[in-house]
Amino acid sequence: MAGERSGEDIVSDYLGQNPQLAQWVETLRGYCETRKQWLARREFILRNMEAFPTVEPGVPSSSLDRLLSLSTVWANHVFLGCSYPQAVMDKIKEMSEGIVVIDAPTHRTTMDGMKAKRSATTEADADSCVKKAKCGPNELDSRPAGRTATRPVGQKSGPPPQAPAEHQPFFNRLYKAVAWKLVSAGGFGPNLDHFEILRSCVESCKQTLSCVFVPLKDIAGLPTARTQKEGHVCEIRCQTVYMGTGYGRDESAAKAMASKEALKAFQGRKVTVKICRRRYKGRDVEDLMLLDEQPRSQGFPPALSYPFQDEQLEDGSS
Amino acid sequence: MGVPAFFRWLSRKYPSIIVHCLEEKGKECNGVRVPVDTTKPNPNEVEFDNLYLDMNGIIHPCTHPEDKPAPKNEDEMMVAIFEYIDRLFNIVRPRRVLYMAIDGVAPRAKMNQQRSRRFRASKEGVELTDEKNRIREEIIQRGGYLPPEEIKERFDSNCITPGTEFMDNLAKCLRYYVADRLSNDPGWSNVTVFLSDASVPGEGEHKIMDFIRRQRGQPNHDPNTHHCLCGADADLIMLGLATHEPNFTIIREEFKPNKPRPCALCGQVGHEIKDCQGTAREKQGEHDEFAGSMPVSEQEFIFIRLCVLREYLARELTMASLPFPFDFERSIDDWVFMCFFVGNDFLPHLPSLEIREGAIDRLVNIYKDVVHKTGGYLTENGYVELERVELIMQAVGVAEDNIFKKRKEDDEGFKRRMKEKKKRMKMDQQRGPAYMTTGQFAPHALGRRDRPEAVQNARHQAFDMRMQSREQHNKDAAQSLKAMIRNGGNSSAGTSDSADNRGVKRKAEDSDSEPEPEDNVRLWEEGWKQRYYKTKFDVDVTDEDFRQKVVKSYVEGLCWVLRYYYQGCASWEWYFPFHYAPFASDFKDIKEMFTDFDMGTKPFKPLEQLMGVFPAASGNFLPETWRNLMSSPDSSIIDFYPDDFAIDLNGKKYAWQGVALLPFVDERRLRAALADVYPDLTPEEEKRNSLGSDVLFIGRSHPLFDFIHELYRAESLEGTEIPAELCHGIQGTLNLDDDPILPDKAVMSPIPMLRDISQNSSIGAKFKDPQYADGFVFKAVLLSGAKLPEKVLKPEDFERGNRGPWRPQLGFNPNRQQAHLDQSGFRALGHSQNRNHRGRGQYSNAAPPSSYQQGNYRPQHSGGQQSYQHSRQNSLLGAPPSFHQPQYPRQQQYGGGGHGWDRAMQSQQSAYQQNSSRGQGGAGPGGYQQRYDQRRDNWHDRRDNRGQQHQGYSSGRGYPPPPPSSRYNWN
């Protein structure tokens, strides 16, 4: 039963039994605090009083100030969108376990449209049956608010730095295979079956291609003029190394386009595997890319898949 | 005041308040700089008594300038500050007082803004570095070139806050500077110098106001003192008006919008960091001779004449048939008060009042409507009549709905227009002219050394051009056909085909238009109030108590701000504890909401304030144990120092316009936490943490000199009143300085590159403003004996017939003598011009005219031709330079260097032409055009090339047209 009641009810019952405590705790309310904010912070304070045994109701002390400070840190994080040094964040995360705030506001901390969504309760709050704040589908990957969210996560989850060197020999072989294949096909041109060429070359080097398809309408963040109902985008990788992206009306057209794009890199004098930064799901990530020597006039298309996303990344975000 | 648009609005609406400064530059003779003799009469034809410097407006541009390379170290910064003050002193030439005020500890109400600025600066710094590194990496990968990263310690502008070592050094350096000038510069010899450094609490401009107010309040004050206040903040205008001194002028740097800024990565001008391509630097000038020089001119200064603003306001505010006698001075106070609704440093502005949408005009109209009902003025001596204010607010509240709707419409119209414009620009850019002549017919720049050569074999050339253009057409057609085939008619979706030129272009352009931040409040839709309170305050609109709380705080804020401007700081502790303002329509029953402020509040100590405004990243300015409080999880004030915070754009476009959602500082907890670490302060830090005093300095020839010298000899320990007759009626209490500057005691230079003053002849003493009893109210009135300056604006009832034509006044002096050149002089000029028509004669070595003298143009008086030449002559011979017209092209014409004179003349002409075609001359244009045509005939033979005129014309067109100005209406 108790699990179905909100924490607020429990707190008010508790305070009803301790009128003196109730009176005292009310003095800690900030002037500009809304009722909702205050109730949440009050719960935080009351729940953590035991952890600060030197706090005595009605007696100002430095330990009380510390508790108040941490409660404000938590409230600022939830209601204002502030973030604090990691050690502080860890501490309030622990202290706020079990407190539920329904419908906490969202705030953006950086200007490049990064949404920093704080889900109000601690995510570890799995056993609580309380209905959580309604979250949109993209808010499920709740990341910690603030700069931590915008920092490129590449260091942790990107490809290892030695990866380009490891992959380079294979692509040197592939380069030769493609070159011969193109010579026998009469040179690179629009009338080739690009995917077939690429596939056969890769397979002749004892590897396979991996294609990822995404319907165009599922790609968020495109300008409205671009959001067409139909059409697919295909991304081709080989051994986790990105080779090309293409768009087409159906999947095979997209695949053909992506292969053509990939083959373009083989038109230069050599191909190189490099770690580059590009966008993936609205974040900057480090990706393994196959490049020719030509300087690129523009950035890379955003990645559709990201093979280097390991558990660490998932951990870091929860 | 936090209203950047305020000054622009004011200067457009009331253009005559602005007068350009004339600055006499120091000359150089055989490599020796000859300083300007500031004892001479002021070239601006006005004499100022007092010059007040709001030093923070000087310190910031001198320590981290935006338009020139930053000084390398602190010493260079100090020297830059000295030079800046010298420059101002030279322009203004005060005869009695120089008052230098550095921001001290600010009232709590201001600290929130300071805090937000410093946290933002820190956050932006980190973000900029991140972005720089990212783009740098990208560019280098692409094979671009970037200059190596400078290894240089970034100057943290956050150190310009009271209590830091930097500010302490600055105070020392300024003492040295004052002693040096008083001893060595004759222009300073009779000036009383006040230095109020960062250890004296209060914002700079408000310390100045306090000084003026307290001098005005005592009987010996000269009511006709001419004040000149230096600073760029718009609230100086309010402060100046609030003094009710008739002669008050503000001097500030001329605001030049859209100054080019170099890219932070490659240092080249012309693009922003995100568009940096890492291309090789373009050659500056033919042989790269201009490399390293920034294409900006030195900042010039303008005066803002508040007496003219008062004239304008008198016109606007005067109301007939009032139920109470009209008092212009009181209505000015009301106007100042209403400007606070639109924005100030202490309160967020009301959502419905936006200065760019004419909010002040709207308020003035409402005011004039409502004042009949209110039965009196809104304010008196800085105290607010709340029930009358409520009437105004309710009237604004009625319009609120429509304001929001209109804002949305305007916004959408603007966006649509911008989009169309962009489209148009792109079309123009891509296409270029339909047909370009090439080969020997190709367009050439004029005035080059290789003169045009005779055309050879013209028919063949024409044939070539014809063939070429046909080929081009074919190519274009083929290309577009190819593109069509390749995309299978689906060209708009070219996400991947980067060989397809069109697809790529389209993509780049689309990503260019940044996604609009979503606005959840949607003020233009029904239910806006509910949504506003929900999103901004996170409360339901039904939470009446909370809304009342916000309104109450805002009402207190309005009272506090007005009191601050008229009486000084009423409470050092009060602040507005929310991030957003309520709606005008919420101001109901506000009369009971405010009674008075707590008396006897004390300002923070400097280091305490540092703890209150600095982010943890700037903690290096604080002692270590103090710094720990900003980052340790066990600190009892850790909640004040978030690492990162949200910025709510609040309907604005740029981050710097948005609201930083920072937590407020709990003063009790701050003080409690600091009590523990106070013992850790070193004696040096303790000194920095203490409150200081204003200091007065004078030179040996000042009448007060012997008096103060005697005080030191007598070692008098108690404060001594200044005898009023010795110092132009200035009053105050003198105390001996602990480490005084005394005559014949050498002053050591704190800056290695400057000399010690061995022959010091200045003296300094602590100074305290005259004190008044608690509860004393400074009257906001004109003083008896004050003479109002002559009117400048054209009287509204000015009839042309009986008094002759109206002559606009362009400077301080209504009867200024204008330079004149007679017929023979003009002939001589024409003669030499004729000979040197290629611009390589003696005149090309003359300095280019520094400005255009619209003012000398008097069509009615003499023949247009003649007066036109006046202005030309003026600038050419370097006769006393006259009025600058900033709208007109200056740099561009002389950029070429070689052909200054010819071109200048041509474009000057075209500038006139442009004006006349704007049809602002009233009766003027017809006649003027005629004269112009005549003149053109005269000139026809002199011009070496008529095309040049057009060139000059088009270069003039690149500038925005001047705002409608009454200056041209001479009838």
Side-chain angles (χ1 to χ4, degrees), chain A residues 83-84 109 226 247 295-296, chain B residues 123 142 492 495 639 643-644:
Chain A
S83 69
Y84 289 83
T109 49
R226 308 256 105 195
Y247 161 81
R296 295 181 68 96
Chain B
K123 174 173 163 144
R142 253 188 268 139
S492 66
T495 39
D639 54 316
D643 255 0
D644 198 2

Side-chain angles (χ1 to χ4, degrees), chain A residues 31-32 34 36 65-66 69 72-73 76 79-85 87-88 91 103 105 107-111 115 146-147 223 226 228 245-247 249 257 260-261 264 275-277 284 295-296 298, chain B residues 123 127 134 141-142 490 492-493 495-499 504 506 510 518 534 537-539 546 549 553 577-579 633-639 641-647 649 655 661 663 668-669 672:
Chain A
Y31 175 76
C32 55
T34 66
K36 180 167 138 189
D65 280 352
R66 276 180 54 214
S69 179
T72 323
V73 165
N76 291 341
F79 295 105
L80 277 187
C82 298
S83 69
Y84 289 83
V88 184
K91 189 156 188 165
D103 190 20
H107 294 286
R108 56 175 71 214
T109 49
T110 51
M111 284 354 277
K115 275 294 259 213
R147 200 174 289 134
R226 308 256 105 195
Q228 293 192 326
T245 308
Y247 161 81
R249 259 179 299 177
M257 204 52 108
K260 185 180 164 195
E261 197 61 34
K264 269 191 200 146
I275 294 180
C276 293
R277 189 159 294 184
D284 272 324
R296 295 181 68 96
Q298 53 173 140
Chain B
K123 174 173 163 144
E127 272 166 18
R134 189 173 58 80
Q141 258 172 15
R142 253 188 268 139
N490 206 354
S492 66
T495 39
S496 64
D497 196 347
S498 64
V504 173
R506 197 75 57 81
D510 271 350
E518 62 200 307
K534 183 71 205 150
F537 294 101
D538 196 15
V539 297
F546 187 81
K549 241 192 225 172
S553 297
F578 301 94
H579 290 108
D634 295 327
S635 151
S636 60
I637 50 172
I638 183 66
D639 54 316
Y641 308 103
D643 255 0
D644 198 2
F645 52 90
I647 290 178
L649 284 182
L661 297 179
R668 184 196 64 77
R669 256 191 303 129

Side-chain angles (χ1 to χ4, degrees), chain A residues 178-194 197 267:
Chain A
V178 171
W180 285 115
K181 188 85 183 174
L182 282 177
V183 165
S184 67
F188 184 71
N191 301 321
L192 301 170
D193 185 348
H194 296 107
I197 289 176
Q267 302 306 302

Side-chain angles (χ1 to χ4, degrees), chain B residues 155-217:
Chain B
F155 176 71
D156 185 351
S157 60
N158 279 358
C159 74
I160 308 176
T161 311
T164 60
E165 249 168 283
F166 177 81
M167 296 306 267
D168 203 46
N169 278 343
L170 177 67
K172 282 189 197 125
C173 291
L174 282 175
R175 280 164 155 254
Y176 161 80
Y177 167 77
V178 170
D180 178 68
R181 295 299 186 271
L182 283 175
S183 307
N184 299 322
D185 190 329
W188 287 57
S189 60
N190 285 314
V191 174
T192 315
V193 182
F194 294 92
L195 175 62
S196 180
D197 63 27
S199 62
V200 183
E203 292 180 81
E205 67 264 40
H206 287 273
K207 291 198 274 192
I208 293 169
M209 282 307 125
D210 230 35
F211 174 79
I212 298 178
R213 211 167 18 234
R214 285 165 186 272
Q215 292 302 330
R216 277 186 104 230

Side-chain angles (χ1 to χ4, degrees), chain B residues 668-720:
Chain B
R668 184 196 64 77
R669 256 191 303 129
L670 178 64
R671 287 188 194 276
L674 291 183
D676 294 340
V677 290
Y678 251 107
D680 300 335
L681 290 186
T682 62
E684 158 73 6
E685 281 158 348
E686 250 172 79
K687 191 164 156 281
R688 267 198 280 140
N689 194 31
S690 58
L691 300 184
S693 159
D694 300 340
V695 192
L696 171 151
F697 300 95
I698 45 175
R700 198 184 286 282
S701 56
H702 195 286
L704 194 59
F705 181 85
D706 291 331
F707 183 85
I708 297 180
H709 208 176
E710 201 52 46
L711 289 182
Y712 276 103
R713 269 191 219 121
E715 292 175 12
S716 75
L717 288 177
E718 63 229 51
T720 319

Side-chain angles (χ1 to χ4, degrees), chain B residues 286-517:
Chain B
E286 202 176 344
H287 303 289
D288 207 14
E289 66 269 30
F290 299 122
S293 69
M294 295 276 278
V296 283
S297 56
E298 197 180 22
Q299 269 299 352
E300 288 178 37
F301 288 92
I302 51 173
F303 288 118
I304 301 163
R305 300 189 64 192
L306 293 191
C307 59
V308 183
L309 180 59
R310 281 168 55 97
E311 275 183 61
Y312 276 117
L313 288 179
R315 277 187 195 181
E316 193 158 332
L317 297 174
T318 302
M319 291 167 281
S321 66
L322 280 180
F324 50 90
F326 178 74
D327 180 351
F328 173 57
E329 302 299 325
R330 296 280 304 272
S331 69
I332 283 191
D333 296 339
D334 285 2
W335 187 82
V336 168
F337 179 59
M338 287 189 294
C339 288
F340 293 150
F341 294 173
V342 178
N344 57 66
D345 285 350
F346 314 99
L347 294 169
H349 73 89
L350 295 177
S352 50
L353 296 176
E354 179 68 57
I355 186 140
R356 294 176 190 82
E357 299 167 358
I360 296 181
D361 287 330
R362 183 189 297 274
L363 279 169
V364 167
N365 287 336
I366 289 175
Y367 172 72
K368 284 161 97 172
D369 280 348
V370 171
V371 81
H372 291 273
K373 276 184 270 170
T374 56
Y377 294 97
L378 304 180
T379 68
E380 182 170 22
N381 299 327
Y383 291 83
V384 186
E385 301 284 345
L386 285 175
E387 49 202 317
R388 296 174 185 167
V389 173
E390 188 174 333
L391 289 174
I392 297 261
M393 286 300 204
Q394 286 306 318
V396 177
V398 170
E400 232 158 21
D401 211 11
N402 287 328
I403 294 173
F404 295 139
K405 275 189 191 140
K406 172 133 194 317
R407 182 178 299 170
K408 176 73 178 165
E409 274 165 31
D410 290 352
D411 195 41
E412 270 171 3
F414 176 76
K415 263 189 226 143
R416 204 183 49 240
R417 282 198 306 280
M418 285 313 281
K419 210 170 163 188
E420 275 161 16
K421 187 176 160 203
K422 214 166 157 189
K423 224 197 238 158
R424 239 179 10 247
M425 301 274 281
K426 229 184 92 203
M427 299 255 286
D428 289 352
Q429 228 173 43
Q430 275 179 348
R431 226 189 283 136
Y435 182 68
M436 275 282 260
T437 53
T438 50
Q440 33 185 341
F441 294 121
H444 283 292
L446 291 163
R448 293 202 308 200
R449 190 188 288 265
D450 49 340
R451 304 161 53 187
E453 283 166 27
V455 173
Q456 291 164 350
N457 210 350
R459 284 169 66 100
H460 188 258
Q461 179 76 63
F463 170 78
D464 273 353
M465 290 193 304
R466 219 161 42 236
M467 293 315 286
Q468 232 173 18
S469 83
R470 199 199 285 167
E471 259 171 47
Q472 189 58 41
H473 274 296
N474 282 344
K475 265 190 218 157
D476 286 351
Q479 204 164 23
S480 56
L481 193 67
K482 261 189 224 152
M484 227 150 72
I485 294 168
R486 219 177 296 154
N487 276 323
N490 206 354
S491 66
S492 66
T495 39
S496 64
D497 196 347
S498 64
D500 180 355
N501 247 337
R502 296 183 55 193
V504 173
K505 278 249 170 67
R506 197 75 57 81
K507 195 169 156 192
E509 165 212 29
D510 271 350
S511 61
D512 213 41
S513 57
E514 293 151 30
E516 287 280 309

